Amino acid sequence: MEYLINGLSGAFSLLIHMDAATLSAIYATLLSTCYAMTVALLLGLPLGFVLGYCTFPGKRALRLISDTLLAFPTVLIGLLVYAFITARGPLGQYGLLFTLPGMAIGQAVLALPIVTSWTAQAVESLDPRCRETLLTLGANGRQVAALALWECRYSIGMVSITAFGRVITEVGVAMMLGGNIRYATRTMTTAIALETSKGDFAQGIALGLILLLMAFIINLMLAFFRHRGRV
């Protein structure tokens, strides 16, 4: 029990004195997550909207692939991206391995199916009678699509926050593609795993408290979007 008390006191000391290694892990986590989410949202939101709104040959197959990728093992994502960005891979010339952008690629692959599938589900859940009513009132296809996107804006907000929370807590992809390099690619999750294995509970607890705070903020935002979506 004493080591837990010492760990907590050490954790608060690190946070109060703004320990450089702790701040570096927080910065690397937020930066790589923002990179990944930017890519995932730019690609996933249009893809999800098309899958949920439009009807075309092969739609069911694409939706099945997207839903299947929701359960894609993260270590396999790390392995595949590693094969592409390693020095001997197709993208090796860009030097992405063990960098924040390289790590963000793997995280974007992780987040993309979440954004795509759940955006499609949000669009499909809209009342089809609204579309029919707008068409009978003379609205064109672009106006109907824009209204459909506006109607599911809060659901899309929930999708984005959920994907963000999934990415920011990822360990395997960050470890494999980032290399857990101190002051460079070490994230909060990889730092917690490493420092705990070394017996340094103070930094692990400090970063764990930050993650808990982030989880609380994420859940508050989810509750907001859920409430707004029901109003």
Side-chain angles (χ1 to χ4, degrees), residues 11 43 48 55 63 69 93 151 173 177 196 199 219 223:
L43 296 178
T55 301
R63 184 63 189 277
L69 290 177
Q93 58 182 320
E151 285 297 316
V173 171
L177 302 177
T196 302
N219 278 291

Side-chain angles (χ1 to χ4, degrees), residues 23 37 41 53 85 89-90 130 137 150 162 175 181 190 214 217:
L23 293 180
M37 287 305 304
L41 291 175
Y53 185 79
I85 66 176
C130 294
L137 292 175
W150 176 256
T162 302
M175 187 77 75
I181 303 171
T190 58
M214 289 182 177
I217 294 172

Side-chain angles (χ1 to χ4, degrees), residues 61-73:
L62 289 175
R63 184 63 189 277
L64 178 62
I65 292 172
S66 179
D67 291 344
T68 302
L69 290 177
L70 289 171
F72 205 37

Side-chain angles (χ1 to χ4, degrees), residues 142-154:
R142 183 178 299 178
Q143 291 172 327
V144 175
L147 182 61
L149 186 62
W150 176 256
E151 285 297 316
C152 62
R153 64 192 182 278
Y154 294 116

Side-chain angles (χ1 to χ4, degrees), residues 29-136:
T29 300
L30 293 176
L31 189 60
S32 65
T33 301
C34 288
Y35 285 159
M37 287 305 304
T38 299
V39 174
L41 291 175
L42 287 176
L43 296 178
L45 290 179
L47 287 173
F49 183 80
V50 169
L51 280 177
Y53 185 79
C54 302
T55 301
F56 53 89
K59 173 181 176 178
R60 289 187 178 182
L62 289 175
R63 184 63 189 277
L64 178 62
I65 292 172
S66 179
D67 291 344
T68 302
L69 290 177
L70 289 171
F72 205 37
T74 56
V75 290
L76 185 54
I77 293 175
L79 177 62
L80 292 175
V81 176
Y82 184 97
F84 273 87
I85 66 176
T86 188
R88 294 174 292 177
L91 303 178
Q93 58 182 320
Y94 299 108
L96 293 170
L97 188 61
F98 302 146
T99 65
L100 287 179
M103 187 166 61
I105 292 174
Q107 293 173 328
V109 174
L110 173 66
L112 183 58
I114 299 174
V115 176
T116 302
S117 289
W118 290 6
T119 298
Q121 183 176 344
V123 174
E124 289 173 346
S125 65
L126 294 175
D127 191 342
R129 292 175 297 180
C130 294
R131 181 178 181 179
E132 296 170 359
T133 302
L134 288 170
L135 289 173
T136 57

